[in-house]
Amino acid sequence: MLLSTACGGGTSQDGTATEATATEATGASGATDVATVADGTASDGCPTTYLLCDDECVDVNADANNCGACGVACGADEACGAGMCVSDCPFGAAKCDDECVSLDSDADHCGGCGNACPAGQVCAGGGCTDSCPAGSVQCSSDCIDPTTDPLNCGGCTEECAALQTCISGLCTCPEGLVGCNSSCVDLSTNPEHCGDCFNECATGSCTLGNCQCEGSEASCNNECVDLDNDADHCGMCGNDCAFYDDICSGGSCVCKPGLTLCDDECVDTNIDPQHCGMCGNDCMGDPCGGGTCQTDCNAFPNQCGDSCVDTETDPSHCGDCDEECAGHRVCIDGNCEDWEIAPECDSCPCNACNGDLDLCCEWDLLGAVICTEAGSCP
């Protein structure tokens, strides 16, 4: 079998491999130096096998425009594998007229590109003959060896992908690469197949088989999240704070401001008739208001069930009974409003409050300064 080129210049018109290599094309900084240059150190800020090329981290082991080194572009008929430009045909095939062919079995290119066998003859072992020899399989006018032919691997027209070799009738990737979706990929660095086939990284960065996130973010289910504040992944991947009304603070699930954890439930002890004023203080059928069991709610603006409330400020009954503010939103003037802790401020005014959250408030409930989108403070 005639082999195609493994790197550099591709295949000449007669089907023979040219001798150009990635090292010749790139000099001392070529593919052979990738392992030591792209070490993911602070010098370039890129992960292992990546280099910083034009302000972008690229995988020089697989990037056809930066193959082995920045700026080394593979030819139109080449792919980048292991930091070298190789034919985009599978190993063992040749390129003839933009087509991948097996020169030892293709009757239109028998032994060389364009060398067609006469009508009625077949191609076997790179030569034209009247019939296929014993041990071969005839596919139209081609006599193939299904155990080694990369374009008929295991059977007629069963083609291997670029970089693959046909071994014992199976398309096989080079050592260190894995076949995913008819391609040979490095699971340790490929962001579309990170750690496993089709495991795609949302940020487009894969190091040592793990999707990489920016800064202090962590990768959970291929999504970059802030473990300090993400209610679905609070403190660790998969730690869901739904039980705590979806509030995560500092990596821990907590009740929203104004609520207290009682019997594994976040409650407002100011109005909860089973936990009135403190956990476990049951009003025994009477309403609760202001943290005290009441005989009625006449002294309060509103009554919702057995709770004496103010629907202008109560996040559990905001604007009307049972209209609860989602997440950690606060109820101001009967409307659920967004807010956040004002960074680096211990009093108002605070320059950090701007944009939608432009109102600075000193919130007694939290003992902190907040920025809110509301028209007035809570």
Side-chain angles (χ1 to χ4, degrees):
M1 178 178 293
L2 300 178
L3 297 179
S4 69
T5 178
C7 54
T11 306
S12 65
Q13 188 60 30
D14 63 358
T16 58
T18 60
E19 299 298 326
T21 66
T23 302
E24 291 171 347
T26 63
S29 62
T32 55
D33 294 330
V34 171
T36 55
V37 174
D39 60 359
T41 61
S43 61
D44 57 26
C46 297
T48 305
T49 75
Y50 282 64
L51 283 180
L52 189 65
C53 302
D54 294 330
D55 297 324
E56 180 182 0
C57 289
V58 298
D59 186 356
V60 292
N61 274 348
D63 192 300
N65 294 316
N66 302 277
C67 190
C70 294
V72 178
C74 297
D77 296 333
E78 293 178 322
C80 183
M84 296 183 295
C85 291
V86 298
S87 170
D88 61 0
C89 296
F91 286 116
K95 202 66 172 286
C96 297
D97 297 329
D98 295 326
E99 180 185 6
C100 295
V101 301
S102 293
L103 297 179
D104 58 354
S105 63
D106 193 302
D108 294 322
H109 306 281
C110 192
C113 290
N115 185 32
C117 292
Q121 288 194 327
V122 294
C123 180
C128 297
T129 183
D130 291 331
S131 61
C132 290
S136 65
V137 175
Q138 184 166 348
C139 300
S140 187
S141 297
D142 304 339
C143 301
I144 70 159
D145 181 350
T147 64
T148 59
D149 192 317
L151 301 181
N152 301 277
C153 189
C156 297
T157 70
E158 296 292 334
E159 297 187 14
C160 294
L163 303 181
Q164 288 186 326
T165 304
C166 184
I167 300 177
S168 300
L170 297 174
C171 293
T172 306
C173 290
E175 184 177 357
L177 303 183
V178 174
C180 295
N181 199 24
S182 301
S183 299
C184 292
V185 301
D186 185 346
L187 296 180
S188 67
T189 61
N190 193 299
E192 296 180 358
H193 308 280
C194 188
D196 200 359
C197 289
F198 313 114
N199 184 34
E200 185 172 359
C201 296
T203 59
S205 180
C206 175
T207 302
L208 299 178
N210 294 305
C211 293
Q212 299 301 298
C213 298
E214 298 178 355
S216 61
E217 291 186 330
S219 177
C220 297
N221 298 330
N222 299 327
E223 179 185 4
C224 289
V225 300
D226 185 349
L227 297 180
D228 282 342
N229 301 294
D230 193 289
D232 295 323
H233 308 281
C234 189
M236 63 191 318
C237 290
N239 188 29
D240 190 348
C241 290
F243 179 74
Y244 290 83
D245 292 336
D246 294 324
I247 304 298
C248 177
S249 178
S252 298
C253 294
V254 298
C255 294
K256 72 171 74 173
L259 301 186
T260 302
L261 187 64
C262 295
D263 293 340
D264 295 333
E265 182 182 5
C266 292
V267 302
D268 185 349
T269 55
N270 280 320
I271 63 171
D272 192 293
Q274 279 79 48
H275 306 281
C276 192
M278 67 177 68
C279 292
N281 186 29
D282 194 333
C283 291
M284 306 299 290
D286 289 331
C288 176
T292 303
C293 292
Q294 307 286 335
T295 56
D296 56 52
C297 293
N298 292 338
F300 296 85
N302 310 100
Q303 180 171 351
C304 295
D306 288 332
S307 298
C308 303
V309 304
D310 183 351
T311 56
E312 291 292 291
T313 60
D314 195 309
S316 299
H317 308 279
C318 190
D320 201 355
C321 291
D322 300 322
E323 293 293 331
E324 184 175 3
C325 294
H328 75 308
R329 303 182 81 195
V330 64
C331 183
I332 302 176
D333 298 331
N335 296 304
C336 294
E337 307 285 5
D338 288 325
W339 63 275
E340 64 181 21
I341 295 289
E344 301 180 4
C345 290
D346 54 13
S347 64
C348 293
C350 177
N351 292 332
C353 296
N354 52 48
D356 291 335
L357 304 177
D358 58 357
L359 180 64
C360 179
C361 298
E362 297 176 15
W363 196 7
D364 293 339
L365 179 63
L366 283 183
V369 176
I370 67 168
C371 301
T372 179
E373 65 177 357
S376 60
C377 290

